[in-house]
Structure formats: structure tokens, C-alpha cells
Amino acid sequence: MADEVVKKKGAMSVSEAGRKGGQTVRDKYGHSFYEEIGRKGGETVKAERGRSFYEQIGKKGGDTVKAERGAGFYEAIGKKGGDAVKAERGTPFYEEIGKKGGHKVRQLIEEGKKAANEAKSMVAREEDVPSVGGEVLPAASEE
């Protein structure tokens, strides 16, 4: 009889116990509690290991999925996600984000050109500065 009690006590597996504990916490604190502690944990890991850690583990995970399911898997889930967004938000959503993306690209190109021109003008000013000996050296020709 004592053996039966022991068997009943130990009958729950570790995964069952974890699931039961998780459900109890969820019922007591709500789903948002898990979001909050997950975010805090992620921020702590980022502070300790840096952003590159997440890039590294993401790549490992992606490579594993690619090896198990093939490259076509990503194509299939991308299409499935795109179809879901299209059904939910409609075609005008894609037009809107396309315009926003185009404007952002145009802005980045302009900023890049401006930075390149500023760098060129800095180099040109440095070439006009006299050398240590006091003589002005001619600028190198760009032919």
C-alpha cells in the first residue's frame, strides 16, 4: 500500500509538472507576465553578450532549419505569411509600405552622397595645408 502512494506521487513527469506550474503562474499573473519577464531576460542577455550573440544564434537556428527542411521551406512560409497579410490588410498596404521604403532609400542615398562630398572636401582642405617644413606641396593630379 505504501508503494502505491509513492508511485502516485512520482507519477507526474518533469514536463507535466512544468506545464502544470506554468499554467498556475499564467492563471495567477496573466499572459503579459511572461512577455515582461521574457523582455527583461532578453535585455539582460543583450547587455551581457551584445547584439551579435542574437545574430549568431539566429544564424545557427536558420542553418539547422535549412538543413532539415530545405531552402524551399523559407519560400513557402514567406508566401504563406505574405498571403495572410494581404488577406488581413489588403493590397493598398503593400503600396503604402513600398512608397515608405522608396522614400527611405532615396533619403539614405542623399545622405550618403552628402557624406561622400563632405569627405572629399575635407581631403581637399588637408591637401592645401602646408607641410611640416613650411612649403606647400602641389596636389596630386587625378589623371
Side-chain angles (χ1 to χ4, degrees):
M1 194 164 167
D3 289 341
E4 288 178 21
V5 173
V6 171
K7 285 183 181 179
K8 285 184 179 179
K9 267 190 170 182
M12 187 181 294
S13 70
V14 174
S15 62
E16 290 171 324
R19 188 177 310 108
K20 187 175 180 183
Q23 288 172 346
T24 302
V25 171
R26 184 198 62 211
D27 294 344
K28 185 174 182 179
Y29 297 108
H31 179 75
S32 61
F33 172 76
Y34 287 106
E35 292 175 357
E36 184 180 338
I37 63 172
R39 188 171 25 262
K40 285 181 180 179
E43 288 171 1
T44 301
V45 171
K46 183 179 174 184
E48 290 175 356
R49 299 185 179 200
R51 181 178 174 204
S52 62
F53 171 74
Y54 286 110
E55 293 172 1
Q56 195 175 32
I57 63 173
K59 180 161 178 17
K60 282 182 181 178
D63 289 346
T64 301
V65 170
K66 184 178 177 182
E68 289 175 356
R69 299 183 181 214
F73 171 73
Y74 289 108
E75 190 177 315
I77 63 171
K79 177 152 180 37
K80 186 176 180 181
D83 290 344
V85 170
K86 184 178 178 183
E88 184 180 321
R89 298 185 177 202
T91 308
F93 172 73
Y94 286 105
E95 294 171 1
E96 181 184 336
I97 64 172
K99 286 178 186 173
K100 286 181 180 179
H103 291 301
K104 183 67 174 177
V105 168
R106 189 178 309 116
Q107 177 188 358
L108 291 171
I109 290 171
E110 288 172 7
E111 289 174 6
K113 287 179 180 178
K114 183 178 176 183
N117 288 336
E118 288 175 4
K120 275 185 181 177
S121 65
M122 291 289 287
V123 170
R125 280 187 239 136
E126 288 175 0
E127 290 177 353
D128 293 340
V129 175
S131 64
V132 178
E135 63 183 277
V136 177
L137 300 175
S141 64
E142 295 182 20
E143 292 179 19

